[in-house]
Amino acid sequence: MRTRTKLSAAAVGLATTGALVLSSGGASGHGYTDLPVSRQKLCQNGTVTNCGSIQWEPQSVEGPKGFPASGPADGQICNAGLGQFGQLSAARTPSGGAWPTTRVTGGQNYTFRWQFTAMHATTDFKYYVTKPGWNQNHNLARSDLNLTPFFTVPYNGQRPPSTLSHSGRLPTGLSGHHVILAVWTIADTGNAFYACSDVTF
Ligand SMILES: [Cu+2]
């Protein structure tokens, strides 16, 4: 399911049959958040340019599960530790600008949404947010985050629909630019999917 595998499979598929490309696509499907819009989605839809290969596969930000005790290393949380998607963890976009933000209101419910290209058996969804005074000038790290999720959706090993929305209350006491980290933990593999969304409270 790593990109290298998929790229080589796709290359073989181009040289041989379309069926191989199709089976490769099926095996590599996963998911990402689009509400609030995630960095990988901003790269995919062209709002943020020069992101590299993530623009072709915003669903592929997959890394070890177990955050925050384990999971991707500090500075690589938003790219799930995958070097080819490193742009996602940078404090600024590839062109040096600020990541576009979604406006949200603390203390109110927000409807988070995932888009899935494969509906894996799911342990849960967890949402984290940066702390007041977080360091906005380096790659996101655990020290920037409140490591207690503000919203958890247990899923008991079920498979989600292709689009999943759930409503959770945003924390109070935050203002200005923050990052929401969404983590989709898979029940039957060692992996989870990571999505960082920039918001303005
Ligand atoms: Cu998958």
Side-chain angles (χ1 to χ4, degrees):
M1 305 256 274
R2 291 302 176 93
T3 295
R4 194 172 46 166
T5 308
K6 180 168 39 168
L7 286 177
S8 58
V12 172
L14 283 173
T16 56
T17 70
L20 194 50
V21 173
L22 284 176
S23 69
S24 160
S28 63
H30 324 280
Y32 59 88
T33 55
D34 64 349
L35 287 177
V37 65
S38 57
R39 291 177 177 182
Q40 50 263 55
K41 178 62 179 177
L42 288 169
C43 287
Q44 183 266 327
N45 69 18
T47 303
V48 174
T49 54
N50 301 313
C51 291
S53 61
I54 189 65
Q55 70 179 296
W56 309 116
E57 45 177 330
Q59 71 276 12
S60 297
V61 187
E62 178 180 23
K65 67 183 181 184
F67 183 88
S70 54
D74 283 337
Q76 296 191 57
I77 297 168
C78 298
N79 60 308
L82 298 174
Q84 71 271 30
F85 301 147
Q87 294 88 339
L88 297 175
S89 280
R92 307 195 66 85
T93 67
S95 54
W99 287 98
T101 64
T102 299
R103 196 161 265 285
V104 297
T105 304
Q108 298 208 341
N109 278 339
Y110 185 87
T111 300
F112 298 89
R113 189 170 70 189
W114 286 84
Q115 301 291 350
F116 301 111
T117 53
M119 287 70 99
H120 296 297
T122 298
T123 300
D124 57 24
F125 301 88
K126 287 186 174 171
Y127 296 86
Y128 303 85
V129 68
T130 47
K131 300 187 285 196
W134 66 288
N135 183 349
Q136 302 191 27
N137 299 313
H138 73 165
N139 286 24
L140 192 76
R142 284 167 178 74
S143 58
D144 296 312
L145 291 159
N146 183 337
L147 295 175
T148 301
F150 65 85
F151 180 38
T152 298
V153 180
Y155 226 69
N156 303 313
Q158 297 172 83
R159 295 173 189 279
S162 58
T163 299
L164 176 68
S165 296
H166 40 225
S167 185
R169 189 177 161 88
L170 292 167
T172 56
L174 301 176
S175 66
H177 178 208
H178 283 271
V179 173
I180 290 175
L181 168 67
V183 182
W184 169 34
T185 296
I186 307 307
D188 55 0
T189 75
N191 287 348
F193 290 83
Y194 295 83
C196 287
S197 299
D198 295 83
V199 298
T200 299
F201 278 89

